[in-house]
Structure formats: C-alpha cells, structure tokens
Amino acid sequence: MGCAGSNDSKASAYKAGNAPMATLKVDPTSDLVKLWTKSGKIAVSGRYHFFPKEMRDDYTVMSTVLGTGLSGEIKLAVEKGKPGGAKYAVKALKLTNIGADKLNELRSEVDVFLCMDHPHVVRLYDVYEGADFLHLVMECMEGGELFDRVVELKIFNEALAAEAVKQMLLALNYIHHHDMIHRDIKLENFLYDKKGSNHLKLIDFGFSKIGDINTKMQATCGTLSYVAPEVLLKSYDKQCDLWSLGVIVFVLLVGHLPFSGSDEEQRKNISEGRFAIKPDLWSKVSKDAQKFTLQGLLQMDPTKRLTAAQALEHKWIKARQKKHREIDNGVADALRSFGQASKFRRCCMEMMAWSLTNEERSQVRDAFIAMDESKQGTIRLVDLKKILQDKFDIPDEEVLSIFQSLDVSHDEEIHYSDFLAAMVGYRIQMHDEHLQAAFKRFDKDSSGYISLDNLQEVLGESYEGESMSSLLSEADVLCDGKISYPEFVSYLTGRPLEQQLIGASIVDQELKNPGSPSTSISKASAGYKKQLSMKINSEEPQ
C-alpha cells in the first residue's frame, strides 16, 4: 500500500542542532499566515493544531509502516472511535536537535502542503504541533504508486498513458499557477487513490518551494534520473518539473528510463540530452506522442519546453482525453443554495469540506474539473458564468453572488474545497461524522463548546464583514454565548427536536464506551439537555 510521502529517497538524516521549536509558531509575518490569502483562513487555521491538542486525541497510529522518508516512517492511522473507518497516513517531523536550515525545510514543506487543494493532489487533513514533533495527517493512497503500475503493465497503451499524463499535468498546472514548484517529479510521487482506480494524485512536497517560481533557483535537488539539465547547472525555474514529467512519459510509452548507467554517465547524458532510444520500441509510438515527449517535454532549452498549460492543449493529450460528465441540475442547485446560505452556515460547510472522504469527493470532483475551463485548478467567474448562465439560465446578478460566496480567499477564484463545501448537504450527504469533525475543528480548546474565542482563533476578528459575535448568535439557541454540539447540529440540519435525541445518543454511547473521543461533546450534550429542560419549563404557561 502506498501513501502520501512514501518511498521518499531523499538522502540523509537530520543534522544535529539546537533550533527552538518556537520558530514554527504562527506569527503575523510567517509563511503560514501568508497562505491565508491563498487558501482562506478556515482551511489553514481549522487544520493546524497547537499543544495541548495532540494528534493522539483524534487518531490512533497503527504499527503498519506505509513508507520511509527523510523524516522517518510514515505510518497507518485511523480516526478514534471509528473502527473500520477511513485510513490515514501519518508523517512525524522531528523538531528537536535539528539545524536552522532543516527547520526551514520543514516549515516550507508544511506551508506548501497546507495550501494544496486540488483533485489530483494528495490531501492534508490535519497538522499537530507539539514540543518534539510536527505530525502531518494525510490522505492514505491505497492504490499504490504509478511506478508499480508501470512494473505491472511494462508499457502503457497510448490512451491510458495520455489519460495518466493529463492528470499529472493538471496537478502541475495547478501548483505552477499558484506559485509553487515541486522539484521532485517522478513515478514514485504519483499514487492512485484506491485499488483498481486510475485516479492519480501528486504527493511529497519535501523539496517544494513557494514564491516567485520564475526566478532562477540554484539548489540541486530531486532524483537524478528525472532532473533537468538546468538543475545540474544550478540555474532553473518551474520548467524543471516539465522535464521530469517528460521522463515519466518516456517510461510510460516505452517501458524504460531515457537515461541510465552510473551517476556520472547519467549526468553526462542528461547534460547533453542524449536519450537511450530503442527504435524497435519507438516505432510503435505515434508521431504525436513522440513529438510531445521528445521535442515538447525533453527539450534542452527550458524556454522552448512546453509549459504545463501548453502541454494540456497538445494534440496528443486532447485527442485521447476522456470526456467528463456534464454538470447536472444537482450541482447547479447546490451552488445556488450555498450562495443563499448565511455566513456562519457557509463557514461550517467550508470546515466540513476538509473532512470529506475520498469516496465522497469522488462524487463531484469530475464536475469541478469540468468547470475549470482554464485547467489552473480553480473556477473563475467567467467559468461559472459559462455554466450557470448558458446552461441553466441563472441571472448574472445571482451568478456573481454565488461566486462571491464561494470565493472565500477573495483571490477571484473558487478553490476545490470551496466547491466541495457547496456540495455538502446537497450532492454529498451530510452525516454525523461530518458534523462532529467540523465541530471539533471549531472547538480548538476541546471544551465541548464553540466559544467566541474559538471563532476568533479560526476566523479572525471578522468574516466577510460580520463580527464573530454575530456569527455565533446564528446558532446560539440558548443565548449563553457559546454553541453546544446539539445546538450546532440543530442549526445545520434544521431539526430542533432531533437535537435532544442526538445529544442523548452520544451520551449513551459514551457510557458504553468511556474511552470514546466524543467525551467533550458528550459532556456538552448532557449539560445542554439539562439547560434545554430548564428553558422549556420556564417558558411553559402557568
């Protein structure tokens, strides 16, 4: 089984050092805060947890090792209280006794990973910062590596290869458009989401960089067989990722690497662009595929090399790509309903979007990709108008209102999780696990309530012009300045009578299983039942 970060072949262990753990703390000038403008504050603060909240509060780490990387083992984990439920991959990054340079690398990896939000990029669910370790809880990719699929099939047929390459290009175009560069593109870093699936996702952002990716970089990193000539010359930009992709396409089409031999031989051949061409194999490859790979991607001059956006428009990709299912009425209705929802309800849906399983996301991800006309990994206003106005005759004013409600980060783009948030409760069924997960992400201090301080920590002093007290009052039925779990459920489901039943069922479950992670929710539910009873009795006519 593969997972995010598995089979990391980066070189050596951490160097000793005495850098303080506090340097990873969030402050107003940190890269983490800067990411709020890219991904929205909910996406970042709702998933980043500080001590005393610990990973073991929410997840149980198993003994199964999924992979080994520079920072140690990546292990299988399950969410507490949910036996047989979703699987996760946990990477532990050591914070003590490491040098400042290595600490900066860790910070960069986490910062980049936190703002990844695309159907073809592995998902980071939670980050827990403690005194000694930074734990990353990631989506567990159960379908195995693209590398293993190549070993199994030997050579991909061109239709299958083109579909795989298109998915990889969508991931690269997304990260490049959002000022990120991967710098370690290889077969092992693309994994299938589940067994029998052809849906690929990009993993491992240990070498990634965020910032001006058109500025020349000098650090030599990556895996030698895949590195671009300009990387060896220590002067490169984002186009190095496209060369590496070219190596992957070469392997998919003919079943072997373009450069082989000793490290010294490989460096010489890469520097000279001398491929190991076997005419008997390439004679079976179409002219379009040959041109795409050898002239388009494995182009020595990075300025003449195809960009990710250009590669997606290449004849070889477009001629064989599968058509995504059309946007249906259900998606349009979900978008309209979200646009009309209250601000706190939208906040809750945004939080739930980060708790959806791969299976739940797969119900709507094709619709998102289909609406992303630019193939940059987000939906622009012009894309939304094209669908909602042309196909569903939705007025321009309403389309603009929908777009503004979904553009959480105010960067003129709808991100994947924004789209998923609109689907929750409409195309994706809302259930207790979603409600519990969202509540816990707001309840930052594990008190069993969502307080004004909690909302300020997650959302800031205001959200879309609304004060935190105004947002809290939307769900604060008891008017006691906090939101209990039953109130939260009632607010989102619209079933006030069932809130008592939900509270009672959680308490009963807690009595049966004292070790359940729902302790704080249970206590709050019990207190809520008592408060509700008093409130009802006080309002009964005399």
Side-chain angles (χ1 to χ4, degrees):
M1 181 189 301
C3 73
S6 65
N7 293 290
D8 185 348
S9 60
K10 303 180 192 74
S12 57
Y14 291 123
K15 295 178 181 178
N18 297 303
M21 164 260 195
T23 57
L24 273 174
K25 288 288 187 183
V26 176
D27 63 68
T29 62
S30 73
D31 289 337
L32 187 60
V33 173
K34 294 174 185 176
L35 293 180
W36 294 346
T37 61
K38 287 183 173 290
S39 305
K41 195 169 188 297
I42 295 174
V44 177
S45 60
R47 293 181 293 146
Y48 204 106
H49 313 286
F50 293 103
F51 186 81
K53 190 172 182 63
E54 298 181 290
M55 181 195 63
R56 62 184 179 183
D57 295 335
D58 301 321
Y59 299 94
T60 299
V61 179
M62 316 299 283
S63 59
T64 304
V65 176
L66 300 173
T68 303
L70 175 63
S71 53
E73 296 176 332
I74 297 100
K75 290 189 173 182
L76 178 69
V78 295
E79 199 166 356
K80 282 197 170 181
K82 298 177 183 177
K87 298 174 182 177
Y88 300 88
V90 174
K91 178 189 284 189
L93 304 176
K94 190 176 181 181
L95 296 178
T96 56
N97 298 318
I98 60 174
D101 288 346
K102 194 58 64 177
L103 199 60
N104 286 333
E105 287 181 17
L106 294 184
R107 183 190 294 114
S108 178
E109 178 178 359
V110 176
D111 285 355
V112 171
F113 205 171
L114 267 170
C115 59
M116 294 287 98
D117 189 14
H118 190 273
H120 290 296
V121 176
V122 74
R123 215 153 172 81
L124 175 64
Y125 286 105
D126 286 294
V127 179
Y128 296 84
E129 182 181 324
D132 301 314
F133 287 94
L134 195 69
H135 287 100
L136 309 185
V137 181
M138 304 167 286
E139 179 179 8
C140 186
M141 304 292 288
E142 299 185 78
E145 298 173 358
L146 177 57
F147 179 88
D148 296 327
R149 191 74 62 92
V150 170
V151 171
E152 177 188 346
L153 297 179
K154 301 296 189 292
I155 297 175
F156 277 45
N157 66 59
E158 286 198 29
L160 188 59
E163 178 58 26
V165 174
K166 182 192 174 185
Q167 294 181 54
M168 292 184 272
L169 282 169
L170 287 172
L172 285 182
N173 200 38
Y174 166 73
I175 67 171
H176 288 176
H177 177 66
H178 290 87
D179 300 323
M180 304 167 205
I181 179 173
H182 191 276
R183 301 200 294 185
D184 195 22
I185 296 297
K186 57 183 177 180
L187 285 165
E188 295 91 333
N189 281 341
F190 284 99
L191 274 64
Y192 290 100
D193 61 349
K194 58 184 179 181
K195 293 178 181 178
S197 168
N198 288 323
H199 189 84
L200 284 167
K201 295 191 181 184
L202 176 61
I203 69 165
D204 196 348
F205 297 93
F207 282 142
S208 298
K209 181 178 176 59
I210 189 167
D212 185 0
I213 58 174
N214 293 309
T215 300
K216 297 296 183 183
M217 287 162 273
Q218 298 179 345
T220 302
C221 55
T223 303
L224 180 58
S225 299
Y226 297 84
V227 297
E230 63 268 25
V231 173
L232 298 179
L233 295 174
K234 299 185 178 182
S235 178
Y236 62 94
D237 59 19
K238 65 181 179 182
Q239 286 298 90
C240 70
D241 282 346
L242 275 301
W243 173 281
S244 301
L245 182 65
V247 174
I248 291 178
V249 183
F250 191 108
V251 175
L252 295 183
L253 293 174
V254 296
H256 68 88
L257 286 162
F259 309 103
S260 58
S262 65
D263 285 359
E264 184 178 348
E265 290 172 329
Q266 285 189 65
R267 287 176 183 274
K268 179 177 175 59
N269 290 334
I270 292 169
S271 297
E272 297 175 356
R274 190 183 301 161
F275 315 131
I277 296 291
K278 297 181 181 179
D280 57 322
L281 293 176
W282 280 99
S283 65
K284 301 173 184 177
V285 177
S286 71
K287 295 298 181 184
D288 285 339
Q290 290 187 38
K291 187 174 181 180
F292 176 81
T293 308
L294 303 178
Q295 298 174 36
L297 297 180
L298 294 177
Q299 162 64 248
M300 292 291 290
D301 184 349
T303 64
K304 296 179 181 178
R305 192 177 302 151
L306 292 174
T307 65
Q310 290 169 342
L312 281 164
E313 297 302 315
H314 192 277
K315 181 180 178 181
W316 184 66
I317 296 294
K318 297 195 76 172
R320 290 175 171 81
Q321 67 186 26
K322 294 179 180 178
K323 288 186 177 180
H324 290 290
R325 286 174 290 181
E326 290 199 13
I327 312 301
D328 58 29
N329 286 308
V331 170
D333 290 343
L335 292 172
R336 298 184 82 171
S337 296
F338 189 83
Q340 297 165 5
S342 67
K343 290 180 180 178
F344 186 53
R345 179 177 293 276
R346 295 204 302 262
C347 286
C348 296
M349 298 299 103
E350 288 279 349
M351 198 66 85
M352 284 187 195
W354 286 99
S355 301
L356 300 178
T357 65
N358 181 61
E359 288 69 26
E360 289 165 337
R361 295 193 304 274
S362 68
Q363 297 173 33
V364 296
R365 70 187 176 205
D366 281 352
F368 176 82
I369 292 171
M371 294 181 76
D372 174 21
E373 288 282 337
S374 68
K375 300 181 177 63
Q376 293 175 345
T378 55
I379 300 171
R380 301 167 302 165
L381 179 57
V382 65
D383 301 329
L384 194 66
K385 282 184 176 180
K386 184 175 180 180
I387 295 293
L388 298 186
Q389 283 185 339
D390 296 354
K391 186 173 180 179
F392 299 101
D393 298 319
I394 297 176
D396 185 73
E397 304 79 33
E398 186 178 355
V399 173
L400 181 59
S401 176
I402 292 170
F403 184 84
Q404 291 173 339
S405 70
L406 284 160
D407 181 17
V408 176
S409 54
H410 305 294
D411 58 359
E412 302 300 318
E413 295 178 320
I414 298 173
H415 295 265
Y416 184 38
S417 289
D418 302 332
F419 177 81
L420 292 174
M423 298 299 111
V424 176
Y426 298 94
R427 289 299 302 273
I428 300 173
Q429 183 180 0
M430 186 193 303
H431 51 69
D432 288 348
E433 290 187 0
H434 296 151
L435 294 163
Q436 290 175 23
F439 184 87
K440 288 199 298 185
R441 289 181 190 275
F442 279 116
D443 179 18
K444 299 291 282 186
D445 54 3
S446 301
S447 66
Y449 297 92
I450 299 174
S451 66
L452 193 60
D453 288 343
N454 293 153
L455 289 184
Q456 289 174 337
E457 183 177 354
V458 174
L459 301 174
E461 293 300 319
S462 66
Y463 181 80
E464 295 186 4
E466 292 286 344
S467 67
M468 292 304 102
S469 57
S470 175
L471 292 182
L472 186 137
S473 66
E474 286 188 31
D476 182 16
V477 177
L478 296 176
C479 302
D480 57 0
K482 56 188 178 182
I483 303 170
S484 67
Y485 182 65
E487 287 174 291
F488 186 74
V489 173
S490 172
Y491 170 71
L492 292 173
T493 62
R495 300 190 300 267
L497 293 178
E498 288 194 23
Q499 63 188 352
Q500 299 173 69
L501 300 176
I502 292 172
S505 67
I506 295 176
V507 173
D508 292 342
Q509 180 62 34
E510 173 62 17
L511 293 173
K512 295 176 184 176
N513 181 18
S516 166
S518 303
T519 302
S520 62
I521 293 177
S522 301
K523 290 178 180 178
S525 300
Y528 169 76
K529 289 173 70 179
K530 183 176 180 180
Q531 279 183 283
L532 182 63
S533 176
M534 294 172 62
K535 185 176 177 69
I536 291 173
N537 289 336
S538 67
E539 292 176 353
E540 286 180 351
Q542 300 298 315

